[in-house]
Amino acid sequence: MKKFVNSVGEILHESLAGFAHCHRDIVALDSDFRFVRRAQRKTGKVALISGGGSGHEPLHAGFVGYGMLDAACPGQIFTSPTPDQIVAAAEAVDGGAGVLLIVKNYAGDVMNFTLAAEMLPNAQTVLTDDDVAVERSTHTIGRRGVAGTMVVEKVLGAAAERGDSLAALKDLGTRVNNSTRSMGVALTSCTVPAAGRPTFDVGDDEMEMGVGIHGEPGRRRVSPLMPADAIAAEMVSAVVEDLGPNSGQEVLLLVNGFGATPMLELYLMYDAARRHLETRGLRITRGLAGNYVTSLDMAGCSITITLLDGEISALWDAPVHTAALHHGI
Amino acid sequence: MKKFVNSVGEILHESLAGFAHCHRDIVALDSDFRFVRRAQRKTGKVALISGGGSGHEPLHAGFVGYGMLDAACPGQIFTSPTPDQIVAAAEAVDGGAGVLLIVKNYAGDVMNFTLAAEMLPNAQTVLTDDDVAVERSTHTIGRRGVAGTMVVEKVLGAAAERGDSLAALKDLGTRVNNSTRSMGVALTSCTVPAAGRPTFDVGDDEMEMGVGIHGEPGRRRVSPLMPADAIAAEMVSAVVEDLGPNSGQEVLLLVNGFGATPMLELYLMYDAARRHLETRGLRITRGLAGNYVTSLDMAGCSITITLLDGEISALWDAPVHTAALHHGI
């Protein structure tokens, strides 16, 4: 296993400690490692909390800060955070206007965030399930929540900052999630440290089309490797046909790397996706490429499209100051 | 070769096109792909230009924008840009106060930037050579310029923005370079697309200590893999002993990934380096971790330390708005 590690049991704590020190102007780490919260607490607004298994960095802790999340709860690698982590985070950041939990649709996350919500006095939940690849997966009933979660967190973060109510944020989050679709492809497997070997076998000339962010199976195993244009075409088709936009629709294009794919290739995929979207008459007015919602050391990427309107575009553009996303401040 | 690619000959142009579209609010791409420049030209200041072989993204084009570079010249992968690229970039961005060329110390880059400088009416050069691993390498006489180049570009970018003269910038750049040292380690080789196979062989339980950013040999081949703490200790020792700081010295710590190492591991390495620096009595007052100066799809990282003073710290903190580095605006 080719990783920077001291002991498998300490990876998460050591990484969180490094993250918190590196970004101590933005975040603070709970002394029991239960959550990462903003360094400066803000009252009078709805507190946004997300979380999930670790191994997807910078999701979620990298999105804690002004204009996005108030706290994030990191579970062990690919393991949901516990309800008591989520409750502790909520108690630390609830500024009196309630707590919105943003939850990726995986069985463990849904169960633990639901349990936590029942223990909190004023909490609502937004579920993300943007992955069009499969309708049911290893850890999921229904669609998986993947890179589109970042879009939901950004838009809701801006809306919370302007003072939206808990009910309004839940409605907006549901709307953004329903306007957002993703699909991914893996060129290599990830390796979970505790397992010490790749999660799945994939040959030198094979790839997994529609892969999940834990290495869950996708739609099909492809061999030989397809050209980048054909890969982008298949992912764009799946996403756009599911969304069913009108011609001329404005969209956000997010090309997300899974952790081991460099920017040279992500921008090449961005260009391929752009051409396919423009051929379909769509207008890319917002764009982003980078390793944002990763799968440990997996090589591969996903394409996410969000249908934009004036409100969602303005919230996407609004100032944000987090470790992993920063603009307008 | 597991990469997103259509044809090897088109990788660079397609990737640059995607980059330029994604960040069209910040940058513009020359129609002949010779350079990337700021979308908004700024006159009355010294123009900062860098460049080098591609495959190190986001270096250098990702650092074009307010507070950092005015233009970047991308060569083919691991190949220096040509003098005419550099001259064309200078002509596009020279705002009347001269041009400063920031050049990593590789034979090809030094030759081509020197030729370009001789063709320009008012140009100076700052050479970066921060890699302490070896004194002479495959493509280099003297030390290699690696991740510290990013620090030089950020500090000089802020100084140019405040109106420093060409001569002052050359002096400052030399001072920052002399205050900056790096060392890297590779867990895997990179694969140059045109070669189609790994640049060097490294076994499943081996690593290359002191590797260069093109996969050049380092100080020694290590087997078995060392724990992260021991790796960080060796790199921190090499860097700090070369710099010879006083106890209590303020430093910048940059943990830079080589392209295929995820943030989970980079933050773990950041924490390990932090502990070693603090044990040595150094004070980390600025920090950064991420994939900034990469080697295609190499797994590995480097540690860079810059000795800080009030001026360099203030310039590091100054507002910057580029594709890959953004704060304070």
Side-chain angles (χ1 to χ4, degrees):
Chain A
M1 180 173 68
K2 292 214 136 174
K3 293 182 191 288
F4 293 114
V5 54
N6 290 307
S7 96
V8 167
E10 294 303 314
I11 290 174
L12 181 57
H13 285 189
E14 290 175 13
S15 184
L16 283 169
F19 169 79
H21 185 278
C22 189
H23 303 289
R24 60 195 184 281
D25 55 326
I26 302 174
V27 299
L29 176 61
D30 170 57
S31 57
D32 293 326
F33 296 89
R34 294 173 299 178
F35 56 84
V36 170
R37 63 169 174 81
R38 295 191 192 185
Q40 284 82 38
R41 186 173 173 218
K42 187 165 176 184
T43 56
K45 66 179 273 297
V46 173
L48 263 53
I49 300 177
S50 191
S54 293
H56 305 301
E57 292 70 25
L59 187 80
H60 298 272
F63 300 136
V64 170
Y66 179 84
M68 218 159 162
L69 300 178
D70 292 87
C73 299
Q76 289 294 321
I77 288 171
F78 291 178
T79 303
S80 302
T82 58
D84 70 284
Q85 284 183 265
I86 302 158
V87 170
E91 288 171 350
V93 301
D94 186 353
V99 174
L100 187 73
L101 306 175
I102 303 173
V103 185
K104 302 193 297 300
N105 187 35
Y106 296 96
D109 288 331
V110 171
M111 183 174 72
N112 288 358
F113 277 91
T114 301
L115 284 169
E118 289 169 358
M119 289 187 262
L120 294 171
N122 190 20
Q124 292 286 344
T125 298
V126 167
L127 206 64
T128 65
D129 60 352
D130 52 306
D131 188 345
V132 302
V134 294
E135 288 298 327
R136 196 181 169 94
S137 183
T138 316
H139 313 293
T140 328
I141 297 167
R143 289 178 168 182
R144 303 174 294 216
V146 291
T149 307
M150 175 191 179
V151 180
V152 173
E153 293 181 357
K154 170 68 184 81
V155 171
L156 289 187
E161 219 67 63
R162 76 180 174 186
D164 278 20
S165 71
L166 185 56
L169 288 169
K170 183 177 166 65
D171 288 349
L172 176 63
T174 304
R175 184 160 78 83
V176 176
N177 178 63
N178 290 341
S179 305
T180 299
R181 296 288 186 272
S182 303
M183 193 155 110
V185 63
L187 301 184
T188 70
S189 174
C190 50
T191 295
V192 176
R197 55 185 160 63
T199 301
F200 61 97
D201 292 318
V202 55
D204 283 347
D205 202 25
E206 286 185 334
M207 61 184 202
E208 180 71 18
M209 176 62 79
V211 72
I213 58 172
H214 310 88
E216 307 98 309
R219 290 186 172 185
R220 62 194 181 99
R221 184 59 58 94
V222 180
S223 177
L225 291 181
M226 291 153 62
D229 260 359
I231 296 170
E234 182 164 340
M235 295 199 289
V236 165
S237 289
V239 165
V240 169
E241 282 160 24
D242 200 274
L243 284 166
N246 297 321
S247 185
Q249 167 74 47
E250 293 192 10
V251 299
L252 162 75
L253 168 61
L254 164 62
V255 175
N256 172 64
F258 285 148
T261 291
M263 295 306 299
L264 183 77
E265 294 175 57
L266 293 182
Y267 284 124
L268 187 149
M269 285 297 286
Y270 182 99
D271 198 54
R274 175 188 66 76
R275 282 182 268 109
H276 291 301
L277 289 166
E278 290 177 352
T279 299
R280 289 169 175 269
L282 299 174
R283 295 168 52 215
I284 305 164
T285 58
R286 303 292 185 282
L288 195 65
N291 287 286
Y292 291 109
V293 179
T294 62
S295 307
L296 293 167
D297 52 356
M298 186 188 283
C301 74
S302 59
I303 290 175
T304 297
I305 306 293
T306 297
L307 305 182
L308 296 173
D309 58 23
E311 182 184 30
I312 297 175
S313 296
L315 292 168
W316 177 260
D317 294 342
V320 61
H321 184 192
T322 69
L325 193 67
H326 190 174
H327 65 242
I329 298 182
Chain B
M1 181 172 68
K2 292 214 135 176
K3 293 182 191 290
F4 292 114
V5 54
N6 288 308
S7 96
V8 166
E10 295 302 315
I11 290 175
L12 181 57
H13 284 189
E14 291 176 12
S15 184
L16 283 169
F19 170 79
H21 185 279
C22 190
H23 303 288
R24 61 196 185 280
D25 54 326
I26 302 174
V27 299
L29 176 62
D30 170 58
S31 57
D32 294 326
F33 296 88
R34 294 173 298 178
F35 56 85
V36 170
R37 64 169 173 82
R38 294 191 193 187
Q40 283 83 37
R41 186 174 172 216
K42 186 165 177 183
T43 57
K45 66 180 273 296
V46 174
L48 264 54
I49 299 177
S50 192
S54 294
H56 305 300
E57 293 70 25
L59 187 81
H60 297 273
F63 301 136
V64 171
Y66 179 83
M68 221 159 158
L69 301 178
D70 293 87
C73 300
Q76 288 295 320
I77 288 172
F78 291 178
T79 303
S80 302
T82 59
D84 71 283
Q85 282 182 266
I86 302 158
V87 169
E91 289 171 349
V93 300
D94 186 354
V99 174
L100 188 72
L101 307 174
I102 303 173
V103 185
K104 301 191 299 300
N105 187 35
Y106 296 96
D109 289 331
V110 171
M111 183 175 73
N112 288 359
F113 276 92
T114 301
L115 285 168
E118 289 167 359
M119 288 187 262
L120 294 171
N122 190 19
Q124 293 287 343
T125 298
V126 168
L127 205 64
T128 64
D129 60 354
D130 52 307
D131 189 345
V132 302
V134 295
E135 287 300 328
R136 196 181 170 96
S137 183
T138 316
H139 314 294
T140 328
I141 297 166
R143 289 179 169 183
R144 303 174 294 216
V146 290
T149 307
M150 174 191 181
V151 180
V152 173
E153 293 181 358
K154 171 66 185 80
V155 170
L156 290 186
E161 219 66 63
R162 74 179 176 188
D164 279 19
S165 72
L166 186 56
L169 289 169
K170 182 176 166 67
D171 289 347
L172 177 63
T174 304
R175 185 160 77 82
V176 175
N177 178 63
N178 290 342
S179 305
T180 300
R181 297 287 186 273
S182 304
M183 193 156 110
V185 62
L187 302 184
T188 70
S189 174
C190 51
T191 296
V192 177
R197 54 185 161 65
T199 300
F200 61 97
D201 291 318
V202 54
D204 282 347
D205 201 25
E206 286 185 335
M207 60 183 204
E208 181 71 18
M209 176 61 78
V211 72
I213 57 172
H214 311 88
E216 307 98 311
R219 290 187 171 183
R220 62 193 182 99
R221 182 62 56 97
V222 180
S223 178
L225 292 182
M226 290 152 63
D229 261 359
I231 296 170
E234 182 164 342
M235 296 199 288
V236 165
S237 288
V239 165
V240 169
E241 281 159 25
D242 200 274
L243 284 167
N246 297 321
S247 184
Q249 168 74 48
E250 292 191 9
V251 299
L252 162 75
L253 167 61
L254 165 62
V255 174
N256 172 63
F258 284 148
T261 291
M263 295 306 299
L264 183 77
E265 294 176 55
L266 294 181
Y267 284 123
L268 187 150
M269 286 297 286
Y270 182 98
D271 197 54
R274 175 188 65 76
R275 282 182 269 110
H276 291 301
L277 289 165
E278 290 177 352
T279 298
R280 289 168 175 270
L282 300 174
R283 295 168 54 215
I284 306 164
T285 57
R286 303 292 185 281
L288 194 65
N291 288 286
Y292 291 110
V293 179
T294 61
S295 307
L296 293 167
D297 51 357
M298 186 188 285
C301 74
S302 59
I303 289 175
T304 297
I305 306 293
T306 297
L307 305 181
L308 296 174
D309 58 22
E311 182 184 30
I312 296 175
S313 296
L315 292 167
W316 177 260
D317 294 342
V320 61
H321 185 192
T322 69
L325 194 67
H326 190 173
H327 65 242
I329 298 181

